[in-house]
Amino acid sequence: MQEKYNVGIYCRLSRDDERTGESVSIENQKIMLSRYVQEQSWNLYAVYCDDGVSGTTFDRPMFNQMIADAKTGKINLILCKDLSRLGRDYIEAGRYTDIVFPSMGCRFIALNDGVDTIHKNNEMLVILKNVMNDLYARDTSSKIRAVKQSTFRTGKYVGCYAPIGYRKSPADKHILEIDPVTAPVVLRIFDMRLQGDSFRKIARTLNEEGVPSPRGFYYMAEGRPNLRGETPYWNDVTVKTILRNEVYLGHMVQNKTGTVSYKVHKQVSKPKEDWIKVEHTHEPLISQEVWDAVQRLDNHPSKGRSGSDGVISLFAGVLYCADCGGSMRYQRDYRSRRRCVSS
């Protein structure tokens, strides 16, 4: 007697897969697999779709839901178009087909690849297919990285949104032009720094005056609310990042960050020697003289903060110890505070 199967159809499409055409589209996957379930007289329990998700990760919303349903016995057969829809990491894909699915008593079928875990004679086919899918992901990642590197070297801007003070040109999104709305904020930040204000004091002043943060300006330009829910504020890190960004000199410095690997998408900082710098790619917002003056303040060994107000001391980076040669800074000794007594 044939076992009764409750089928979970799994469909996945990544941005890279979209380049291969309509044959791999989510809708076509659904139609083909649903027809097969009907031909086999199986019961279709649910269709799980992860649209726009890479196959190099197995942490996908609908994939996780499908596994949860398989664990609770709601489905006992998982059907997908081919092994690449399951994933492009040969180690993880093999773990699911060899260990996870059998341990849950769940049959797995990759229709176009002829893979069916109920048959025990296709283990080598599964291994080879998973390795080929992994190599495809590695090759695609390498090609994308090469295209980005080439774009960086031509001085074209690559980013989701322009740095504050600039906006993407309507004619070419890879070119930056000065934004008349946010440019004055950047100019003021540089001016406040030249006046001796610390990063923290600049941020506090902007917050007190209700000046939108870079993210706040972004949502205002988009004409939509902040979907993250939190109120964006200025902080010292944001101010420091602006004051040290050569984009305001008209230079493009990119390739500062990247992923660990084509499988691990965590962003990490790259060493400075890997940065790609192209000068004079767009109109500068800050003069070289102002930039140099601000950088000299940052290069002082002593920040010279005089207290909670964060104001730089008058002699910061100027006075040095006659004995050791070290930079001197202002420090108040509260333990020896004197009292003024009137007679």
Side-chain angles (χ1 to χ4, degrees):
M1 184 177 178
Q2 185 180 15
E3 184 178 350
K4 180 181 178 181
Y5 286 109
N6 293 315
V7 183
I9 288 177
Y10 182 68
C11 307
R12 184 189 62 79
L13 185 70
S14 71
R15 294 182 180 89
D16 296 330
D17 295 322
E18 290 173 355
R19 300 187 180 96
T20 62
E22 288 296 317
S23 62
V24 78
S25 70
I26 290 287
E27 195 58 36
N28 280 350
Q29 291 179 58
K30 287 181 184 178
I31 293 172
M32 182 186 72
L33 298 175
S34 297
R35 184 185 299 123
Y36 183 76
V37 171
Q38 188 176 12
E39 291 172 355
Q40 301 302 314
S41 300
W42 293 335
N43 176 49
L44 177 57
Y45 176 80
V47 178
Y48 308 87
C49 298
D50 283 313
D51 200 354
V53 184
S54 171
T56 58
T57 176
F58 278 75
D59 186 15
R60 315 172 206 142
M62 296 310 297
F63 180 82
N64 292 337
Q65 181 61 56
M66 179 181 68
I67 297 301
D69 289 345
K71 286 180 178 179
T72 56
K74 295 177 181 178
I75 58 175
N76 58 357
L77 192 156
I78 292 174
L79 177 66
C80 63
K81 177 177 176 288
D82 52 52
L83 278 168
S84 68
R85 299 308 95 202
L86 176 66
R88 294 190 183 276
D89 182 331
Y90 77 95
I91 295 177
E92 277 298 290
R95 187 175 72 87
Y96 275 97
T97 57
D98 294 347
I99 301 173
V100 178
F101 293 149
S103 68
M104 297 188 299
C106 188
R107 182 179 174 184
F108 171 76
I109 297 176
L111 192 59
N112 282 4
D113 287 336
V115 172
D116 188 342
T117 54
I118 202 172
H119 304 305
K120 303 300 182 183
N121 59 349
N122 58 6
E123 287 90 348
M124 187 58 66
L125 173 64
V126 174
I127 293 172
L128 290 174
K129 286 284 186 179
N130 284 335
V131 170
M132 291 301 295
N133 290 329
D134 192 296
L135 290 175
Y136 174 85
R138 184 195 297 266
D139 182 60
T140 300
S141 175
S142 178
K143 289 177 180 177
I144 293 174
R145 189 181 301 110
V147 170
K148 289 183 69 175
Q149 295 275 323
S150 176
T151 305
F152 290 155
R153 289 189 172 89
T154 60
K156 293 182 178 180
Y157 180 74
V158 179
C160 296
Y161 37 81
I164 184 172
Y166 288 98
R167 63 187 179 190
K168 294 181 180 181
S169 170
D172 187 344
K173 65 179 181 179
H174 297 297
I175 296 177
L176 297 179
E177 61 181 26
I178 292 177
D179 181 3
V181 176
T182 59
V185 178
V186 175
L187 291 169
R188 187 183 177 201
I189 289 173
F190 273 87
D191 183 63
M192 292 173 72
R193 182 61 174 163
L194 286 176
Q195 299 302 317
D197 291 346
S198 68
F199 305 133
R200 185 175 301 174
K201 184 177 181 181
I202 294 172
R204 187 169 64 243
T205 300
L206 295 174
N207 286 329
E208 290 173 350
E209 295 179 2
V211 178
S213 69
R215 189 184 301 166
F217 276 118
Y218 169 75
Y219 284 112
M220 288 170 58
E222 291 288 306
R224 59 188 177 90
N226 183 358
L227 300 179
R228 296 189 180 185
E230 78 274 15
T231 303
Y233 290 105
W234 288 93
N235 57 58
D236 55 342
V237 175
T238 304
V239 172
K240 184 190 298 184
T241 301
I242 290 173
L243 291 168
R244 295 179 178 177
N245 193 344
E246 290 186 76
V247 73
Y248 300 114
L249 278 175
H251 308 328
M252 200 71 74
V253 183
Q254 300 182 102
N255 202 45
K256 291 183 177 181
T257 61
T259 56
V260 175
S261 72
Y262 72 102
K263 292 183 180 180
V264 182
H265 298 163
K266 179 183 177 182
Q267 288 286 323
V268 294
S269 298
K270 291 187 176 183
K272 196 167 184 177
E273 54 267 24
D274 289 344
W275 295 2
I276 299 176
K277 178 179 177 178
V278 182
E279 296 185 347
H280 312 301
T281 57
H282 53 277
E283 185 179 355
L285 193 56
I286 300 298
S287 69
Q288 187 67 53
E289 292 74 21
V290 170
W291 173 268
D292 291 340
V294 168
Q295 304 317 305
R296 281 196 295 270
L297 286 174
D298 290 347
N299 291 332
H300 287 323
S302 171
K303 298 301 180 185
R305 291 179 180 174
S306 62
S308 61
D309 58 356
V311 177
I312 295 179
S313 177
L314 178 63
F315 298 106
V318 177
L319 295 181
Y320 295 87
C321 178
D323 296 322
C324 69
S327 177
M328 301 179 69
R329 63 187 178 88
Y330 176 87
Q331 183 173 342
R332 178 178 296 172
D333 186 355
Y334 291 94
R335 293 171 300 178
S336 61
R337 184 187 302 169
R338 294 183 178 180
R339 293 183 180 180
C340 180
V341 182
S342 59
S343 57

